[in-house]
Amino acid sequence: MLNLENGLPSPGVNVTLEKHVGKDWQPLAQGVTNEQGRIGELFPGKQAFEAGEYRVVFKTGDYFKKAGRDTFFPEIPVQFTVTRTNEKLHIPLLLSQYGYSTYKGS
């Protein structure tokens, strides 16, 4: 995760991973971004990452609150589809107080 306002990583952001099951979202894992704004491995390593619909939710409101700043997006959910079992994914988030961008990284 990169803060576009200052070009620096965003450490200390809580992130959850959830899987869409029926009409609900089932929590799978939680992590916190490190000093480089990354989480090394969010998906539980001993489980198969099965095809399906998932989302990661970035809790950005707390990050900005700690910095003494407001934000328009207190949470940023990024929904995505896994098509192959154990597909390796990198989902970067480019962040500012009033906007964000994401993409499928490699």
Side-chain angles (χ1 to χ4, degrees), residues 18-50:
E18 302 169 338
K19 183 175 184 182
H20 198 219
V21 179
K23 294 183 179 185
D24 299 316
W25 289 98
Q26 175 186 1
L28 297 177
Q30 181 178 346
V32 179
T33 56
N34 62 20
E35 291 302 315
Q36 291 82 38
R38 296 176 176 262
I39 298 174
E41 181 177 89
L42 186 59
F43 189 79
K46 297 180 194 256
Q47 294 181 16
F49 197 19
E50 299 172 345

Side-chain angles (χ1 to χ4, degrees), residues 17 43 47-51 54 80 82 84-87 89:
L17 173 67
F43 189 79
Q47 294 181 16
F49 197 19
E50 299 172 345
Y54 294 82
F80 59 97
V82 173
R84 296 184 315 243
T85 299
N86 291 327
E87 184 175 353
L89 295 173

